[in-house]
């Protein structure tokens, strides 16, 4: 038998529950929120404890449905949506990243697989979609790059590229954009400004030297940027460039070069003092490049002016 005190308590409890129902269902502007709560499939009495969180889930879901970009995010945590999940008939809440945030994270993470040595920010961030295509002089190399990406992704054996031309024509950007595109597939790329790379190797020793040298030698895709601009020594030619090219040729790893020099000019550059021995060693380097690379020349407007 329920006494008066118990009855009063039950009425108070019932009234509080009704007040919560009002808060949960009447503060919405339309029936969508009610439908959102009903689809959870748990009893109202239980869900009342999570009124504010459920409201946030609903509002953030609506924000995401209408969002046009990460910078326009209206949610409490930018790029994330508070989401309710059911585990063993209990409601839990977690943040899930949106498509814009996922893209940003992907762009950041792929850079971790790209070895960047003293290259400019523009080169680090080079993208295929941003390539300037109005210059007809670029048609040949863009076709070559497009074909390379297609063949490489199909696991076909492909040559690298010796890409020479005038100063400021965009050679480094073009090749870097292609490598950056393939690094997104999980490949290891190395974008190396060659003159500075040599200076750094010469100044380093032990583990630092080994890590830099081995990464460049064994990366899936390697760009030696601005070869021919370095001060050539027997060490740089015979102990660095030669072994890198030999390893990559043996392992069939594509190598890319940008230079202001033709291959004939590079051969003269690498011969150092012009002795017969120097000429022979230089010729061997050039033969490795010719064997593993196509050659394209780009004469175009200086993009740096």
């Amino acid at each position: 038998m329920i006494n008066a005190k118990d009855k009063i308590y039950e009425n108070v409890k019932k009234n509080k529950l009704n007040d919560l129902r009002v808060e949960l269902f009447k503060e919405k502007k339309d029936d969508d929120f009610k439908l959102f709560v009903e689809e959870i499939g748990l009893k109202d009495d239980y869900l009342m404890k999570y009124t504010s969180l459920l409201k946030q889930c609903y509002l953030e879901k609506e924000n995401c449905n209408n969002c046009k970009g990460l910078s326009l995010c209206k949610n409490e945590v930018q790029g994330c949506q508070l989401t309710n999940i059911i585990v063993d008939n209990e409601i839990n809440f977690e943040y899930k990243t949106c498509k814009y945030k996922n893209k940003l994270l992907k762009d950041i993470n792929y850079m971790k697989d790209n070895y960047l040595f003293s290259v400019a920010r523009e080169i680090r961030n080079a993208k295929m979609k941003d390539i300037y295509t109005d210059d007809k002089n670029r048609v040949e190399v863009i076709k070559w790059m497009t074909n390379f990406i297609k063949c490489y992704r199909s696991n076909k054996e492909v040559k690298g590229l010796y890409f020479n031309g005038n100063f400021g024509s965009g050679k480094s950007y073009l090749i870097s954009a292609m490598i950056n595109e393939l690094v997104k597939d999980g490949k290891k790329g190395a974008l190396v400004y060659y003159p500075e790379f040599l200076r750094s190797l010469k100044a380093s020793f032990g583990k630092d030297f080994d890590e830099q040298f081995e990464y460049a030698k064994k990366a899936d895709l390697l760009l030696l940027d601005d070869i021919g601009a370095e001060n050539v020594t027997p060490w740089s030619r015979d102990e660095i460039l030669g072994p890198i090219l030999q390893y990559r040729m043996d392992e069939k790893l594509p190598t890319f070069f940008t230079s202001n020099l033709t291959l004939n000019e590079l051969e003269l550059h690498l011969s150092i003092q012009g002795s017969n021995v120097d000429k022979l060693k230089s010729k061997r380097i050039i033969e490795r490049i010719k064997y593993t690379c196509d050659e394209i020349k780009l004469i175009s407007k200086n993009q740096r002016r």
Side-chain angles (χ1 to χ4, degrees):
M1 183 175 180
I2 300 177
N3 60 36
K5 185 177 180 181
D6 291 335
K7 186 67 174 177
I8 291 172
Y9 174 78
E10 287 297 326
N11 287 336
V12 170
K13 184 178 178 181
K14 184 176 180 180
N15 289 334
K16 285 185 176 181
L17 189 58
N18 286 336
D19 290 342
L20 286 172
R21 282 201 178 93
V22 169
E23 181 183 0
L24 186 61
F25 292 114
K26 286 192 175 181
E27 287 190 1
K28 65 184 185 311
K29 294 182 180 179
D30 52 45
D31 290 334
D32 291 339
F33 179 52
K34 182 177 180 180
L35 180 61
F36 171 78
V37 174
E38 289 175 348
E39 287 178 346
I40 295 174
L42 298 178
K43 293 181 178 180
D44 294 346
D45 295 359
Y46 173 74
L47 293 177
M48 295 303 167
K49 297 183 292 183
Y50 305 100
T51 301
S52 59
L53 287 172
L54 288 171
K55 285 180 179 177
Q56 185 179 342
C57 288
Y58 170 74
L59 291 174
E60 294 200 353
K61 180 182 178 182
E62 292 297 299
N63 289 340
C64 286
N65 288 339
N66 299 308
C67 187
K68 302 299 182 183
L70 194 59
S71 62
L72 302 173
C73 179
K74 297 179 180 179
N75 289 348
E76 186 174 295
V77 179
Q78 187 185 58
C80 297
Q81 177 190 332
L82 185 65
T83 306
N84 56 279
I85 58 173
I86 307 302
V87 179
D88 297 330
N89 287 322
E90 291 189 355
I91 193 166
N92 290 277
F93 299 88
E94 65 179 18
Y95 279 103
K96 292 186 177 180
T97 52
C98 70
K99 61 181 180 181
Y100 300 112
K101 184 75 169 184
N102 287 335
K103 183 180 183 304
L104 176 63
L105 293 174
K106 183 179 179 181
D107 289 345
I108 293 172
N109 287 333
Y110 97 82
M111 296 301 289
K112 295 178 182 177
D113 293 326
N114 218 4
Y115 177 82
L116 309 165
F117 195 92
S118 294
V119 294
R121 178 184 296 180
E122 181 185 24
I123 303 304
R124 295 198 301 268
N125 298 328
K127 296 180 176 62
M128 289 291 290
K129 68 181 182 65
D130 294 334
I131 287 176
Y132 179 74
T133 58
D134 291 348
D135 187 348
K136 64 180 181 180
N137 294 320
R138 291 183 165 206
V139 171
E140 181 183 5
V141 70
I142 291 174
K143 285 183 177 179
W144 187 94
M145 290 162 55
T146 302
N147 182 68
F148 179 90
I149 291 173
K150 179 181 177 181
C151 292
Y152 190 78
R153 283 175 168 164
S154 300
N155 295 316
K156 294 181 180 179
E157 186 175 327
V158 282
K159 287 187 173 184
L161 181 67
Y162 185 82
F163 192 25
N164 72 299
N166 62 290
F167 179 82
S169 57
K171 301 182 298 294
S172 303
Y173 188 95
L174 287 163
I175 300 303
S176 298
M178 182 187 67
I179 293 178
N180 288 342
E181 181 71 20
L182 292 168
V183 167
K184 292 178 182 180
D185 297 341
K187 300 299 181 182
K188 298 287 185 180
L191 307 179
V192 175
Y193 179 63
Y194 190 59
E196 185 58 35
F197 177 67
L198 290 176
R199 283 193 288 268
S200 177
L201 284 179
K202 192 171 184 179
S204 63
F205 58 91
K207 185 178 179 181
D208 289 340
F209 177 95
D210 292 341
E211 286 181 353
Q212 293 178 56
F213 181 70
E214 289 299 310
Y215 195 104
K217 186 172 75 171
K218 297 180 179 180
D220 296 320
L221 302 151
L222 170 65
L223 167 62
L224 295 180
D225 185 35
D226 210 8
I227 190 170
E230 76 284 3
N231 292 320
V232 180
T233 65
W235 170 81
S236 67
R237 181 192 62 198
D238 304 335
E239 303 298 325
I240 303 301
L241 183 58
I244 285 176
L245 297 186
Q246 184 65 49
Y247 180 88
R248 298 186 65 80
M249 182 175 69
D250 293 342
E251 297 298 320
K252 297 180 171 53
L253 297 171
T255 308
F256 308 89
F257 305 83
T258 64
S259 181
N260 299 127
L261 306 179
T262 65
L263 279 171
N264 288 336
E265 291 169 339
L266 182 64
E267 185 174 345
L268 290 174
H269 176 71
L270 293 172
S271 63
I272 308 175
Q273 297 178 355
S275 69
N276 288 336
V277 173
D278 280 336
K279 288 179 180 179
L280 180 60
K281 289 182 177 180
S282 176
K283 188 174 184 63
R284 285 176 177 169
I285 295 288
I286 299 303
E287 288 304 313
R288 288 172 186 160
I289 294 175
K290 287 181 177 179
Y291 182 77
T292 58
C293 294
D294 294 323
E295 183 179 5
I296 293 178
K297 185 171 186 176
L298 175 64
I299 302 298
S300 183
K301 179 180 178 181
N302 189 340
Q303 303 295 322
R304 299 176 187 171
R305 289 178 181 174

